Amino acid sequence: FCIQALEELAIHFEHRQRDLAAALAATESALEHLRNAALPKTVFIQFAYRRERLKRKTARVQLLSAGAL
């Protein structure tokens, strides 16, 4: 696995494809790999922050789309 590749995928899905679910899935996958990796804790923290931000963004989009109905 390559953490950088998963990060790039998350960025691609979020910003270019506008697919927050796929971005969140890539982020979750990276976090699973990082739990057992011998990498600095800051890398895990960055992905955890990305996950929480994506969750907030997803909730906001869902609220906006529910209000449009």
Side-chain angles (χ1 to χ4, degrees), residues 62-69:
Q62 288 173 343
L63 280 174
L64 289 174
S65 65
L69 295 176

Side-chain angles (χ1 to χ4, degrees), residues 22-50:
L24 188 55
T27 301
E28 292 286 354
S29 179
L31 284 167
E32 283 299 316
H33 289 298
L34 284 169
R35 281 181 175 74
N36 301 319
L39 293 172
K41 186 137 181 105
T42 56
V43 177
F44 184 86
I45 291 168
Q46 289 172 339
F47 274 97
Y49 177 79
R50 175 180 296 280

Side-chain angles (χ1 to χ4, degrees), residues 9-15 17-29 50-51 53-55 57-59 61-62:
L9 274 174
I11 291 168
H12 173 77
F13 286 130
E14 179 183 3
H15 297 290
Q17 296 292 319
R18 304 278 189 229
D19 186 346
L20 297 178
L24 188 55
T27 301
E28 292 286 354
S29 179
R50 175 180 296 280
R51 177 184 57 200
R53 186 179 52 72
L54 285 167
K55 286 181 178 180
K57 195 171 185 179
T58 300
V61 167
Q62 288 173 343

